[in-house]
C-alpha cells in the first residue's frame, strides 16, 4: 500500500466516489488505505444494500461499520465497484496489487457494471511501470513460474528485478493462498502485450495490470478532484 500519499487526498477521492452511490446499489468494496476511506464513508451513510469485499481486511472493516456483506456467489452482478490503485494512466489502465488483493479485486471489478478508481494525483503516470507490477502465482512450481515470467518480460524488452514479496521475513501469502512476485520492470510501453503474455503462463494466477476495467478515475489533487473517463 502506498502510505506516502496524503491522507486528505485519499479522503477527497473517496468522498467524490460517494456521489456516484445510489440507494440499493450492490457494491464491490476495494482494498487499501484509499478504499478504506470509502468503506468508512459508506458505513457512515448507512448504505443497506449488499456489498462484496475484495479482501479479508476489507470484509472485517465493512462488518465493523455495519455494512451488509455478501459474496459474489450471492450477488454475481454488481452495480459498482470502488477501489484504489497503485498507478494509473490517461487510458484508465491501472497497476494494482500493492496490498496483495489483486485477484479478488479483478474478479469483483469484472463482475461490476462499473468500476470507479479513487486515487490521489501522485499515482497518475504517463507510462505504467514506476510501481513494481505485482504478479500472483501458485505456490506449486513457483521457481519455474518465475523463470517463465522473466522470459516473457525479456521477450518484450523488459528487464528489472523480480522479487518474491515477503512479510516479516516470511513469504507473503494472499487471501487465496498464493505468492506474489513484485516485478520492477520500469516503464511498460505495451501493457496489453505484457498482460496477455502473463495470462498465458500456467502458474500465473493473476497480474496487477487492470486494462479495460476502470470506467472512471477520480483523481484527487490539491485543487480538487479530476474526473477521468465516464463522468456521471
Ligand atoms: C490492493 C490494491 C490497492 O488498491 C492499492 O495498493 C492502492 O492502495 P492504497 O490506497 O493504500 O494506496 O491494489 O491490492
Amino acid at each position: 500500500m502506498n502510505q506516502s500519499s496524503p491522507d486528505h487526498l485519499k479522503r477527497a477521492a473517496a468522498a467524490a466516489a460517494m456521489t456516484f452511490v445510489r440507494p440499493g446499489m450492490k457494491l464491490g468494496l476495494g482494498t487499501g488505505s484509499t478504499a478504506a476511506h470509502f468503506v468508512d464513508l459508506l458505513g457512515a451513510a448507512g448504505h443497506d444494500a449488499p456489498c462484496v469485499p475484495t479482501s479479508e481486511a476489507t470484509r472485517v472493516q465493512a462488518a465493523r461499520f455495519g455494512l451488509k456483506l455478501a459474496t459474489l456467489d450471492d450477488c454475481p452482478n454488481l452495480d459498482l465497484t470502488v477501489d484504489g490503485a497503485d498507478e494509473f494512466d490517461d487510458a484508465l489502465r491501472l497497476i494494482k496489487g500493492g496490498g496483495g488483493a489483486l485477484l479478488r479485486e479483478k474478479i469483483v471489478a469484472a463482475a461490476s457494471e462499473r468500476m470507479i478508481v479513487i486515487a490521489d494525483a501522485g499515482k497518475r503516470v504517463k507510462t505504467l511501470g514506476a510501481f513494481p507490477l505485482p504478479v500472483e502465482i501458485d505456490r506449486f512450481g513457483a521457481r519455474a513460474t518465475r523463470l517463465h515470467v522473466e522470459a516473457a518480460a525479456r521477450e518484450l524488452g523488459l528487464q528489472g528485478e523480480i522479487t518474491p514479496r515477503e512479510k516479516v521475513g516470511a513469504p507473503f501469502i494472499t487471501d487465496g493462498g498464493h505468492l506474489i512476485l513484485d516485478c520492477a520492470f520500469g516503464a511498460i510501453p505495451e501493457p496489453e502485450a505484457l498482460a496477455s503474455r502473463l495470462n498465458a503462463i500456467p502458474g500465473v494466477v493473476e497480474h496487477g495490470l487492470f486494462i479495460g476495467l476502470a470506467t472512471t478515475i477520480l483523481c484527487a489533487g490539491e485543487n480538487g478532484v479530476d474526473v477521468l473517463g465516464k463522468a456521471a
Side-chain angles (χ1 to χ4, degrees), residues 116-177:
I116 295 182
V117 171
I118 48 178
D120 62 85
K123 293 176 172 178
R124 189 173 186 169
V125 295
K126 281 237 164 316
T127 307
L128 294 177
F131 190 92
L133 177 68
V135 177
E136 183 161 346
I137 63 169
D138 200 283
R139 282 192 261 190
F140 180 85
R143 240 180 113 188
T145 303
R146 179 178 166 169
L147 290 175
H148 282 299
V149 171
E150 275 167 8
R154 228 179 7 253
E155 280 168 31
L156 292 169
L158 299 171
Q159 285 160 4
E161 192 97 1
I162 296 182
T163 311
R165 190 179 295 183
E166 293 192 352
K167 190 176 178 184
V168 285
F172 176 93
I173 306 291
T174 67
D175 285 343

Side-chain angles (χ1 to χ4, degrees), residues 18-166:
M18 283 298 294
T19 67
F20 290 80
V21 175
R22 301 284 172 268
M25 271 189 172
K26 288 179 267 173
L27 300 177
L29 306 178
T31 294
S33 56
T34 315
H37 281 292
F38 177 74
V39 174
D40 182 12
L41 292 169
L42 196 66
H47 190 74
D48 65 357
C51 297
V52 177
T54 54
S55 64
E56 290 307 308
T58 299
R59 189 184 59 71
V60 169
Q61 189 202 359
R64 191 158 20 97
F65 293 156
L67 291 167
K68 190 186 280 180
L69 288 168
T71 66
L72 263 195
D73 294 323
D74 304 324
C75 296
N77 298 301
L78 301 175
D79 297 299
L80 168 66
T81 284
V82 176
D83 201 349
D86 298 298
E87 232 178 52
F88 63 92
D89 68 11
D90 287 354
L92 276 58
R93 298 177 294 195
L94 320 171
I95 286 183
K96 283 186 53 57
L102 64 146
L103 174 59
R104 293 188 188 184
E105 289 172 333
K106 199 177 272 190
I107 293 171
V108 170
S112 303
E113 178 75 24
R114 182 164 191 189
M115 179 193 195
I116 295 182
V117 171
I118 48 178
D120 62 85
K123 293 176 172 178
R124 189 173 186 169
V125 295
K126 281 237 164 316
T127 307
L128 294 177
F131 190 92
L133 177 68
V135 177
E136 183 161 346
I137 63 169
D138 200 283
R139 282 192 261 190
F140 180 85
R143 240 180 113 188
T145 303
R146 179 178 166 169
L147 290 175
H148 282 299
V149 171
E150 275 167 8
R154 228 179 7 253
E155 280 168 31
L156 292 169
L158 299 171
Q159 285 160 4
E161 192 97 1
I162 296 182
T163 311
R165 190 179 295 183
E166 293 192 352

